[in-house]
Amino acid sequence: MPTSYNVEKVREDVPLLLLAAILVLNNTPLLSNVTVPFIQSLTHSLSLIISMASSPSLLFSLLLALLAVTTTAIRSSTEEHTIHLHFYMHDDYTGYTGSKPTAIHIITMPKTSPNDTSPRTFGDMVALNNFLTEGPDHKSQHVGRAQGFAVRVAEGGSVSDLSLHLVFEQGAYNGSSLTVHGRIPMDQPVRESVVIGGTGHFRFAKGYMLSKNYDYNLATGGVVEIDVFVM
C-alpha cells in the first residue's frame, strides 16, 4: 500500500530540518558565516517550494535544486571571508630581541647515545613567549606574542608537538587571539598546523597556519615566517 503524502505535515517539518542539513553538509559555522537574513530567506524559499510541490518526486527535485544553489552560495561566502595574516616570530633562546630570552628550556633530557650530536633531544620541553613582528627584523612593527610550549617528540629533537596562542596586541585585531596546534617537523621547508579556535574577533575560528624558517637553527632558535589563514 503506497505511503500517503501529507503536504501540510511536510510544510511544517521540512524547512528547518533541511536548513540544518544544508549547514551541516557544508560544515558551516552558523554564527560566523551565515547571517540571520540569509537563514530567514532560505527558510522562506523552502516553504514556498513545499507549497508548490504537487507530488513527492517534484518536491524532491525542487529541494535538490535549492540545495545545489545554497551550497555554492555558502562556500563562496566562506571563501570571501577568509583572513590572511602574515608576520614573523622570533624564537629567541639567546636574548637577541631584548634583555632576556623569550624561549626557555623547561626540560632537557639526557642524550641516549654518545653519537647524538643534535642540540635537541627526544622529550625536551620549551616554553615560548615570543615576539611577533610585521617584518623579519625584531625591531620592526610589533604585532603581538606567540605564547605556548613545544615538546620534542622524535629522536634528535627535530619534530615538535606545538601548542601556541597567537595574541594580537596591535592593529585591527588588538585584544584577540588564535589558538594553534600542530606537529612541527623542523627538517621540512614548510610546516602546517591547524587553527583550533580563538577569542575576540576570532571566536569560533578555524583554519590553518604555515610556518617556515627565515633565519633559524635548532641550537639557538631565530626567526620563523608565519602565514595564517582564518575562516
Side-chain angles (χ1 to χ4, degrees):
M1 181 175 181
T3 303
S4 62
Y5 177 59
N6 188 332
V7 174
E8 293 300 324
K9 181 60 177 173
V10 173
R11 183 182 293 114
E12 293 175 2
D13 296 341
V14 167
L16 289 178
L17 290 175
L18 187 59
L19 171 61
I22 289 170
L23 298 176
V24 170
L25 288 172
N26 283 279
N27 192 25
T28 304
L30 181 61
L31 294 179
S32 61
N33 286 337
V34 181
T35 63
V36 171
F38 179 85
I39 294 171
Q40 292 172 338
S41 175
L42 180 57
T43 305
H44 179 64
S45 299
L46 290 169
S47 299
L48 287 176
I49 287 175
I50 292 168
S51 66
M52 292 166 55
S54 57
S55 67
S57 59
L58 177 58
L59 173 62
F60 184 69
S61 299
L62 290 172
L63 291 177
L64 280 181
L66 181 62
L67 177 61
V69 172
T70 306
T71 297
T72 301
I74 289 176
R75 290 180 177 172
S76 297
S77 175
T78 301
E79 291 172 359
E80 290 173 1
H81 287 86
T82 298
I83 298 172
H84 177 203
L85 305 171
H86 178 259
F87 41 76
Y88 295 82
M89 181 181 74
H90 300 268
D91 199 24
D92 178 12
Y93 290 89
T94 62
Y96 76 88
T97 58
S99 59
K100 55 185 178 182
T102 60
I104 61 171
H105 297 278
I106 303 173
I107 298 174
T108 301
M109 299 298 293
K111 300 290 185 182
T112 57
S113 168
N115 298 322
D116 184 359
T117 59
S118 172
R120 300 287 181 262
T121 305
F122 174 62
D124 286 358
M125 180 180 289
V126 297
L128 308 172
N129 185 28
N130 293 331
F131 290 112
L132 299 175
T133 59
E134 288 186 357
D137 192 302
H138 70 275
K139 295 181 180 179
S140 65
Q141 179 64 44
H142 180 73
V143 173
R145 292 271 188 167
Q147 299 173 323
F149 63 91
V151 180
R152 312 295 180 181
V153 293
E155 297 298 331
S158 62
V159 180
S160 295
D161 181 2
L162 175 69
S163 178
L164 199 64
H165 299 279
L166 303 175
V167 183
F168 299 96
E169 299 174 332
Q170 301 287 340
Y173 307 122
N174 183 24
S176 300
S177 69
L178 287 167
T179 301
V180 177
H181 192 94
R183 176 183 180 273
I184 309 297
M186 293 302 295
D187 58 346
Q188 297 297 313
V190 180
R191 289 85 63 176
E192 182 172 348
S193 304
V194 60
V195 174
I196 60 175
T199 64
H201 184 88
F202 298 114
R203 194 175 297 141
F204 303 113
K206 64 177 182 178
Y208 61 99
M209 180 181 83
L210 301 178
S211 59
K212 58 184 178 182
N213 295 345
Y214 179 84
D215 183 11
Y216 191 92
N217 65 74
L218 280 176
T220 60
V223 183
V224 177
E225 186 174 1
I226 293 177
D227 287 278
V228 185
F229 298 88
V230 186
M231 277 74 83

